[in-house]
Amino acid sequence: MKIYFIFFIGGIFLIKFYESRVINILWLKADKAFHLGKYNLAEKYLGKIIKQQPEEVDAYILKAWLEWSQAISKNDENKLNSAIKTLQIGKWHNPLNFRLYLEEGIMWNAFGNNEEALKSFKVVYVIGTIPYVRIYPHKLRQIGKTYEAYKAMKKIYEKYKDDTTLQCLERLKKEIST
């Protein structure tokens, strides 16, 4: 019985070692494909990483970025839909990782979709950390909602008490008063 247990534990260690080696190789292949301009191949390798390690947020972010940036450069709606799907799957597996919502907001901002960008940045504001939480009030200000931006920035300052947020808060206060 003891020998079976030892083989079982040893097998688990071998599987974990093999899995980590495969993931490292996939990252290297994705990087190489990217630098060679073979973006579809890089996406394929990132997709394999995602399937093996769904908690690997960087793979979702990079894959989505490759997809949506190609959607812009090639005016390809299929690539945009792929990016949206990649981020949705990433958020399903990692619902509290603000970086996925940040990437989504950046994507929608690049497409000029202020409403969707604002939704994503609001999630970052709620679950993110400094300095990323400040993107939401900056976006509010950008679309003309200065008072709402001031209120959001004030909450950020109350939580973090940092100089940069204070400077942003003071600028917003001046804008409101003029």
Side-chain angles (χ1 to χ4, degrees), residues 2 4 7 31 33-34 36 48 53 60-61 72 74 77 91-92 100 106-107 111 125 127 130 154 172 176:
K2 192 175 188 182
Y4 293 118
F7 278 122
D31 185 57
F34 171 78
L36 291 173
K48 288 181 179 188
Q53 288 188 329
Y60 294 102
I61 291 169
I72 290 174
K74 297 176 181 179
E77 193 158 332
K91 292 185 301 184
W92 189 82
L100 292 158
I106 292 168
M107 175 186 74
F111 280 91
Y125 168 74
I127 66 173
I130 203 97
K154 187 174 180 181
L172 286 167
I176 291 170

Side-chain angles (χ1 to χ4, degrees), residues 4 9 13 47 56 69 86 91 98 110 119 127 134 155:
Y4 293 118
I9 297 298
F13 283 126
E56 184 59 58
S69 59
T86 297
K91 292 185 301 184
F98 77 89
K119 285 180 192 176
I127 66 173
R134 288 194 297 262
K155 286 184 180 180

Side-chain angles (χ1 to χ4, degrees), residues 5-20:
F5 182 71
I6 291 170
F7 278 122
F8 177 72
I9 297 298
I12 290 174
F13 283 126
L14 281 175
I15 290 169
K16 288 298 177 185
F17 174 76
Y18 172 76
E19 184 180 82
S20 69

Side-chain angles (χ1 to χ4, degrees), residues 27-43 45-46 62 65-66 69:
W27 273 113
L28 291 171
K29 286 183 174 192
D31 185 57
K32 183 177 179 181
F34 171 78
H35 288 291
L36 291 173
K38 298 178 179 181
Y39 304 127
N40 288 335
L41 185 58
E43 290 171 31
Y45 290 130
L46 292 166
L62 291 171
W65 175 77
L66 279 170
S69 59

Side-chain angles (χ1 to χ4, degrees), residues 8 14 22 51 67 75 112-113 125 157 171:
F8 177 72
L14 281 175
V22 168
K51 283 181 182 171
E67 291 164 339
N75 195 24
N113 189 331
Y125 168 74
Y157 181 70
R171 277 196 303 272

Side-chain angles (χ1 to χ4, degrees), residues 83-96:
I84 293 166
K85 183 178 177 183
T86 297
L87 290 169
Q88 285 174 338
I89 293 168
K91 292 185 301 184
W92 189 82
H93 286 287
N94 306 278
L96 296 178

